[in-house]
Amino acid sequence: MKYNMILSDFSDGVTTITINRPTKLNALNSATIFELHTALKAAESDLDTKVIIITGSGEKAFVAGADISEFAHFDQTEGRSLSKEGQDLLFDFIENLSTPVIAAVNGFALGGGLELAMAAHFRLASTNARMGLPEVSLGLIPGYGGTQRLAQLIGKGRAMEMIMTATMIDGEKALAYGLVNHVVPQEELLPKCFALADKIKSNSSLAISAAIKAVNANFADGVNGYDVEISEFGKCFDTEDFEEGTTAFLEKRKAKFSGK
Ligand code: COA
């Protein structure tokens, strides 16, 4: 498919999706959300894609938020559906994707931009990154899962402070908060993501998908995460990857997983 708002490149088991509206600091309009959904779905069903990296084009922004010009005139009903459709199409969709998603936060990640990064399975930031949920400065609250995921990732008190003050934090603070896993100079950001992707790729993609499900179960209402873990653990025993992984260990060789 031809995209207008994003770029999608495949190389060596990794699909890199780049939000490509640099003149608007990669703000998320509805067309971009739809294209991201389409590209992520395609990458998930591509068996050669073992890891997905999401980043922003240019050196200034990952994503500077939802596109304010698109919703400035909305009423309550439109606001609700903006939030619901966005969560369904992109934010919940990413969190529950069976392929691992890494966010490479290469600059401003504000509002919907930080919410996008938080929906990914984990995040890396460049030293110039600035992260925040400034919605209350617009008379809004985060609507793409930010009130939930920020509190899950950094704790309620810190999330409350960040949301109420609408201030941005830098990479070092984000690292100290546990919001990002690594902070590196901008030119090292994608190489570092690729190095982590290499490690992920050497493991069983089926087991990784099962692990995503089990970890996410801890954050789903009315679901017992331990039960999901028991079920996913059990399912692994019926896979070729399990047979290969254990056999390779016993034969003292490196496993070659088929993802079956
Ligand atoms: N929605 C729509 N357009 C946006 C945008 C957003 N969230 N963020 C930036 N842009 C646009 C600007 O309107 C500007 O467009 P223009 O050149 O056509 O006027 C362009 O991107 C560059 O932004 P600008 O504000 O000139 O850059 P800056 O370096 O002075 O400031 C920011 C950078 C990130 C601090 C500032 O753009 C900003 O505060 N953006 C909004 C952040 C926000 O509130 N996000 C949450 C939305 S819910």
Side-chain angles (χ1 to χ4, degrees):
M1 166 165 175
K2 190 184 170 315
Y3 300 112
N4 298 312
M5 307 290 171
I6 63 169
L7 307 168
S8 182
D9 292 306
F10 174 81
S11 167
D12 201 15
V14 179
T15 292
T16 304
I17 298 175
T18 307
I19 298 137
N20 191 29
R21 302 182 74 209
T23 58
K24 295 291 175 193
L25 302 186
N26 305 319
L28 291 179
N29 59 7
S30 51
T32 308
I33 289 178
F34 185 74
E35 288 191 8
L36 281 168
H37 172 83
T38 309
L40 287 160
K41 202 170 172 178
E44 186 185 38
S45 46
D46 169 20
L47 293 182
D48 292 331
T49 293
K50 304 295 181 199
V51 177
I52 298 168
I53 296 171
I54 301 180
T55 194
S57 72
E59 295 184 347
K60 194 167 169 183
F62 173 69
V63 168
D67 192 322
I68 298 167
S69 65
E70 225 180 40
F71 63 72
H73 58 281
F74 277 11
D75 64 16
Q76 181 177 158
T77 309
E78 292 167 306
R80 282 179 69 101
S81 55
L82 179 76
S83 174
K84 171 89 175 95
E85 280 165 26
Q87 292 196 18
D88 289 349
L89 269 181
L90 189 57
F91 299 84
D92 288 354
F93 187 73
I94 290 180
E95 184 166 53
N96 293 304
L97 220 64
S98 56
T99 308
V101 182
I102 305 174
V105 180
N106 59 312
F108 287 115
L110 302 174
L114 181 55
E115 289 171 303
L116 179 64
M118 291 193 294
H121 297 126
F122 63 90
R123 291 144 290 285
L124 278 70
S126 53
T127 40
N128 63 308
R130 296 290 178 271
M131 286 154 267
L133 293 179
E135 284 86 347
V136 296
S137 71
L138 298 168
L140 281 175
I141 66 165
Y144 288 148
T147 59
Q148 307 303 297
R149 292 194 182 96
L150 189 63
Q152 286 166 8
L153 286 164
I154 70 172
K156 185 175 169 184
R158 287 166 170 170
M160 285 287 197
E161 181 181 333
M162 276 182 69
I163 291 169
M164 287 178 194
T165 59
T167 47
M168 300 181 208
I169 60 170
D170 63 13
E172 285 308 319
K173 194 159 196 179
L175 185 64
Y177 277 6
L179 184 55
V180 300
N181 293 8
H182 305 273
V183 180
V184 294
Q186 195 169 51
E187 64 278 12
E188 290 170 26
L189 183 61
L190 284 179
K192 176 80 181 169
C193 290
F194 279 108
L196 289 167
D198 272 345
K199 289 195 176 178
I200 294 171
K201 271 159 36 186
S202 68
N203 298 315
S204 158
S205 55
L206 274 188
I208 285 171
S209 303
I212 292 172
K213 254 193 209 167
V215 173
N216 279 346
N218 185 36
F219 302 96
D221 276 347
V223 175
N224 184 320
Y226 293 96
D227 287 345
V228 174
E229 183 180 282
I230 290 165
S231 162
E232 292 299 321
F233 181 77
K235 282 191 218 162
C236 290
F237 286 76
D238 278 350
T239 66
E240 288 177 23
D241 277 3
F242 167 71
E243 196 180 336
E244 167 63 9
T246 47
T247 306
F249 176 81
L250 295 173
E251 291 176 355
K252 300 192 186 307
R253 62 173 173 83
K254 208 171 167 321
K256 283 191 75 162
F257 292 111
S258 63
K260 290 182 189 151

